[in-house]
Amino acid sequence: MAYLLTALAIGCIWFSAKYKWWKPAISLAKPRILMYHMVREHVPGARFNGLRVKPALFERQVSWLARKGWQFYFLSELLEAETAPEKAVVLTFDDGFEDNYRNVLPVLKKYGAKATLFLVEERFDNDWSVKKKAHHSSGELMREPKLTDEQVREMIDSGCFEIGGHSLTHADFSKLELDAKQRELCQSKQVLEEKFAVDIKTYAYPFGIYSDEDRELVKDHGYACAVTTIEGIDDDIQQCRYDLKRVKVAGKKNFLHFKTSLRLGLKGLL
Ligand SMILES: [Zn+2]
């Protein structure tokens, strides 16, 4: 009996520490910007399954958001809104993986949702994971199929997606000289705008790596805002439009974790 009670107590402490049920939710007037990469089944033994949200879980998340009255916005729309709307959510997808077309677009259509896609312009045969860490040289992300321009066009035409910049080559800006940074920001914007006949207003820092100088460069190149990989929910998105936090939707976490992170902005277990 004592053993059972101890086990129960430990279970309760573990659950509380993980999901922090006692913490009040961050005000629903603060928009949630969610960060995704891929929506697809996991690859057995792969390093980056944390970036792969399973399709069934993704649909559950979007249908729950819709049912609970969350309003979906493109990131640019949210920044242009005069006052931040109540229960606003922005789904963002980094890089340009092909499963965004196969597994995300149909779900967005089904639930009347929308998303902002941060597209790497030179995304084919580009092993960008080694740019951050040389030992990430398995080619795992390089082998993942990427969106073709034709698919991106269809996604934009559907009204479910807007696209934003994510640099030309998914560069690590901490390793670049000024002129290379300018090229990454300027050319990617120009090429995407010409190719897809859209304005590129938003930006995501590759790897979430950026300095004060990079923030100024992004601003100077005509992007209206930029998202980071810092986890959280901003108090005032207008005040920090070039340092926007996001809620990471992790591929290895369950649905309760998703709801917790949407409530608190942080990983359940810190
Ligand atoms: Zn990226």
Side-chain angles (χ1 to χ4, degrees):
M1 189 64 184
Y3 171 76
L4 265 179
L5 284 174
T6 310
L8 190 65
I10 290 172
C12 286
I13 292 166
W14 173 84
F15 185 86
S16 295
K18 193 167 170 67
Y19 296 110
K20 298 177 175 51
W21 50 267
W22 70 89
K23 276 197 166 186
I26 292 176
S27 162
L28 297 178
K30 319 266 182 227
R32 274 57 167 167
I33 304 174
L34 308 188
M35 175 173 69
Y36 293 90
H37 287 78
M38 289 172 265
V39 172
R40 54 156 294 170
E41 296 300 335
H42 288 181
V43 177
R47 178 191 289 274
F48 292 107
N49 280 335
L51 301 181
R52 297 182 175 100
V53 175
K54 293 177 183 174
L57 182 61
F58 176 68
E59 177 159 4
R60 193 172 171 201
Q61 292 167 349
V62 175
S63 73
W64 181 83
L65 289 166
R67 203 171 59 247
K68 293 290 177 183
W70 288 85
Q71 301 292 318
F72 298 92
Y73 286 84
F74 292 138
L75 183 60
S76 65
E77 282 180 319
L78 188 69
L79 269 294
E80 284 161 10
E82 301 249 309
T83 50
E86 226 10 48
K87 281 195 131 177
V89 63
V90 180
L91 311 181
T92 68
F93 288 84
D94 287 14
D95 302 335
F97 292 100
E98 203 249 352
D99 55 64
N100 294 182
Y101 174 81
R102 282 184 289 109
N103 298 335
V104 176
L105 180 60
V107 173
L108 300 186
K109 282 183 180 168
K110 184 170 169 183
Y111 295 97
K114 45 170 77 168
T116 298
L117 167 68
F118 298 111
L119 191 63
V120 177
E121 167 47 23
E122 294 180 6
R123 58 194 174 278
F124 300 101
D125 299 319
N126 178 354
D127 196 7
W128 58 70
S129 43
V130 293
K131 293 177 185 171
K132 189 177 172 199
K133 288 186 180 148
H135 67 275
H136 286 179
S137 56
S138 64
E140 181 186 329
L141 294 182
M142 184 173 68
R143 285 193 303 275
E144 280 289 338
K146 306 299 184 308
L147 290 164
T148 65
D149 289 346
E150 206 39 60
Q151 288 170 324
V152 174
R153 228 164 256 130
E154 200 181 318
M155 290 161 78
I156 296 169
D157 290 346
S158 73
C160 294
F161 276 95
E162 74 165 353
I163 57 170
H166 198 35
S167 84
L168 198 59
T169 65
H170 207 291
D172 177 348
F173 271 48
S174 68
K175 295 174 183 154
L176 296 188
E177 299 293 335
L178 179 62
D179 59 341
K181 290 180 183 181
Q182 287 170 326
R183 200 166 48 245
E184 288 280 345
L185 291 169
C186 179
Q187 280 188 18
S188 58
K189 191 168 190 291
Q190 254 176 16
V191 173
L192 292 178
E193 287 184 339
E194 279 166 25
K195 199 181 272 184
F196 300 112
V198 293
D199 283 340
I200 301 294
K201 301 173 185 170
T202 62
Y203 184 75
Y205 300 107
F207 306 110
I209 295 171
Y210 69 111
S211 62
D212 291 346
E213 177 187 74
D214 301 339
R215 185 196 299 107
E216 292 308 309
L217 283 172
V218 169
K219 212 182 287 186
D220 293 346
H221 281 79
Y223 297 94
C225 64
V227 294
T228 68
T229 53
I230 301 166
E231 291 191 58
I233 295 166
D234 286 309
D235 261 351
D236 183 347
I237 55 169
Q238 298 296 346
Q239 288 292 319
C240 50
R241 47 167 64 216
Y242 292 93
D243 302 275
L244 294 169
K245 291 179 187 149
R246 290 189 282 181
V247 175
K248 187 195 280 179
V249 184
K252 292 180 180 174
K253 303 289 184 180
N254 61 22
F255 187 62
L256 185 56
H257 182 277
F258 173 78
K259 290 201 287 186
T260 305
S261 58
L262 210 76
R263 205 161 56 82
L264 303 174
L266 295 168
K267 289 180 186 176
L269 191 59
L270 296 176

